Amino acid sequence: MEDQRKYGSDAIGVLVMSYGTPESLDQVEAYYTHIRRGKPPTAEQLDDLVRRYEKIVGGFFPLRRNTDRQVEALQATLDREYPDLKFVCYQGLKHAAPFIEDGVRAMAADGITRAVGVVLAPHYSSMSVGGYVKRAQAAAEEVGVAMSFVESYHLHPKLIEALADRVRRALKKFTEVDAEEVKVLFTAHSLPERILQMNDPYPEQLLETSRAVAERTGVTDWQFAWQSAGQTGEKWLGPDVLEELERLHSEEGVDYALVCPIGFVSDHLEVLYDLDIEAQALAGKLGLHLERTEMLNTEPLYMETLADVVRGKVVEAGVGS
Ligand SMILES: CC1=C(CCC(=O)O)c2cc3nc(cc4[nH]c(cc5[nH]c(cc1n2)c(C)c5CCC(=O)O)c(CCC(=O)O)c4C)C(CCC(=O)O)=C3C
Ligand SMILES: [Fe+2]
């Protein structure tokens, strides 16, 4: 039989992992069921999610296209920055096709024997990045690909610079006041509060990124808040950004706020709905001027961050150098 392998032993696979999103409204139910580990949502829960997607999609699901573009841009950045290494990028999504396991199998089918895994989320939690890594590692063992993983890159200087740049630009939108009058709220996806008992690094890494960006921009009036908590019956990390905006306005007289969602790297539901629609509606009701920093998407400094940490893993493993 003819050899189907595309690449020789010099190629290094890069499994670029991301959350995944439906590609059409009729896929929302299967997607939501996957997020809930096989348990279908109630009709009410499904309706609610479909309605949120309807408000942001405008005919397409932004995260689908953004992930494609990020992976293409990372490939181009790796080719440009490290022409001596032959990196080949594959997508592996947590809750949609191509799933993490599909990405690993595609690498193996192409003849890849060693690879680096990286998640399009800068902060490590056993419930987020840890879950991606576990699945990729299990699939890699099955098909005989040797993998190492980037666990976090939340203080990479180029990432901090990219975020700082966005904070500076967004602060300029408050033309009616000095930047010092604006409260900056760094946010990330909430997680169940039980991660605190697990000594999970997620909250501390998020604070470290917040501090670094604040320092870099000279912002002194900032705090951290959680967003997009699930309704699962158990307690999630707080304070929630919506409650915090309301409290800041009523108790501290805050009239100007900038939200900087450092836990996310792409325009998607949590940003385009939870912040741009839900939080903006609240701000409108309160009479508070709320702005949001732009997402990183294919920002070159972000792509260079990813390329650098991926290459770092290769150097660590002593291969290709
Ligand atoms: C830590 C974390 C990140 C950041 C790190 C990373 O990126 O990995 C993240 C990102 C995202 N989360 C996303 C979407 C959703 N997450 C949900 C539900 C949940 N997220 C959780 C955690 C996280 N999620 C958890 C613990 C649940 C509860 C699950 C359960 O029931 O046990 C639900 C269900 C309904 C709801 O709760 O809203 C949806 C629709 C999208 C895609 C948006 C789009 O398609 O544009 C993105 C990027
Ligand atoms: Fe989520």
Side-chain angles (χ1 to χ4, degrees):
M1 228 176 91
E2 201 191 325
D3 194 347
Q4 297 291 303
R5 289 174 298 180
K6 267 204 210 117
Y7 304 108
S9 60
D10 59 327
I12 305 163
V14 181
L15 184 68
V16 188
M17 293 179 279
S18 174
Y19 205 83
T21 189
E23 286 183 63
S24 59
L25 285 171
D26 60 0
Q27 285 179 10
V28 174
E29 184 168 12
Y31 173 70
Y32 203 172
T33 303
H34 194 274
I35 290 177
R36 293 165 49 87
R37 286 170 232 88
K39 191 172 159 235
T42 64
E44 197 189 343
Q45 286 170 321
L46 178 61
D47 273 1
D48 177 61
L49 184 57
V50 167
R51 186 186 50 81
R52 283 187 277 148
Y53 274 118
E54 274 171 347
K55 290 214 171 114
I56 67 153
V57 295
F60 67 95
F61 284 72
L63 184 59
R64 180 60 268 154
R65 208 162 75 177
N66 287 336
T67 303
D68 287 344
R69 287 179 179 161
Q70 284 175 318
V71 176
E72 272 164 40
L74 175 58
Q75 180 72 61
T77 307
L78 286 164
D79 292 344
R80 190 185 65 234
E81 302 267 315
Y82 310 112
D84 299 340
L85 294 172
K86 182 157 184 51
F87 285 112
V88 190
C89 291
Y90 294 81
Q91 280 189 38
L93 310 181
K94 196 173 196 179
H95 297 299
F99 288 97
I100 291 169
E101 294 76 9
D102 299 331
V104 174
R105 283 184 212 120
M107 292 198 292
D110 285 350
I112 302 269
T113 55
R114 61 209 165 105
V116 177
V118 66
V119 180
L120 297 176
H123 307 85
Y124 183 90
S125 166
S126 59
M127 286 186 71
S128 63
V129 173
Y132 290 82
V133 169
K134 220 168 152 182
R135 279 174 53 188
Q137 184 62 42
E141 277 166 22
E142 257 175 45
V143 293
V145 174
M147 282 196 80
S148 54
F149 295 92
V150 174
E151 298 214 314
S152 62
Y153 45 86
H154 68 292
L155 283 176
H156 194 287
K158 288 189 177 183
L159 176 79
I160 300 302
E161 186 49 40
L163 292 170
D165 198 48
R166 279 164 174 71
V167 168
R168 285 185 210 110
R169 265 189 278 151
L171 284 172
K172 292 208 179 93
K173 294 186 183 169
F174 295 87
T175 48
E176 70 276 44
V177 282
D178 291 340
E180 294 79 59
E181 311 248 344
V182 180
K183 172 74 96 183
V184 176
L185 285 171
F186 296 102
T187 65
H189 202 298
S190 183
L191 283 176
E193 216 178 59
R194 66 187 144 86
I195 66 154
L196 298 179
Q197 276 80 61
M198 298 153 56
N199 249 328
D200 196 272
Y202 188 64
E204 188 52 37
Q205 289 192 354
L206 287 159
L207 279 178
E208 284 171 358
T209 304
S210 307
R211 255 181 240 126
V213 174
E215 236 161 68
R216 184 108 194 135
T217 48
V219 166
T220 51
D221 191 12
W222 65 271
Q223 61 187 67
F224 185 83
W226 300 97
Q227 64 165 89
S228 316
Q231 278 102 40
T232 53
E234 67 182 322
K235 206 159 175 236
W236 287 58
L237 294 170
D240 180 80
V241 66
L242 299 177
E243 288 165 21
E244 199 52 17
L245 283 171
E246 200 148 11
R247 191 194 67 77
L248 285 167
H249 182 71
S250 66
E251 290 178 19
E252 296 182 23
V254 169
D255 288 323
Y256 309 96
L258 170 63
V259 172
C260 178
I262 52 169
F264 302 118
V265 299
S266 173
D267 284 306
H268 53 50
L269 192 70
E270 297 11 40
V271 173
L272 301 174
Y273 186 84
D274 297 356
L275 296 178
D276 292 1
I277 297 179
E278 206 175 20
Q280 276 301 350
L282 172 68
K285 200 182 83 188
L286 299 173
L288 184 150
H289 180 176
L290 179 69
E291 296 282 353
R292 163 177 75 77
T293 54
E294 275 170 45
M295 299 314 288
L296 295 170
N297 294 315
T298 56
E299 157 66 45
L301 287 170
Y302 179 44
M303 294 301 119
E304 288 165 25
T305 298
L306 292 171
D308 187 41
V309 292
V310 164
R311 177 176 171 273
K313 280 288 150 190
V314 174
V315 172
E316 212 178 278
V319 287
S321 52

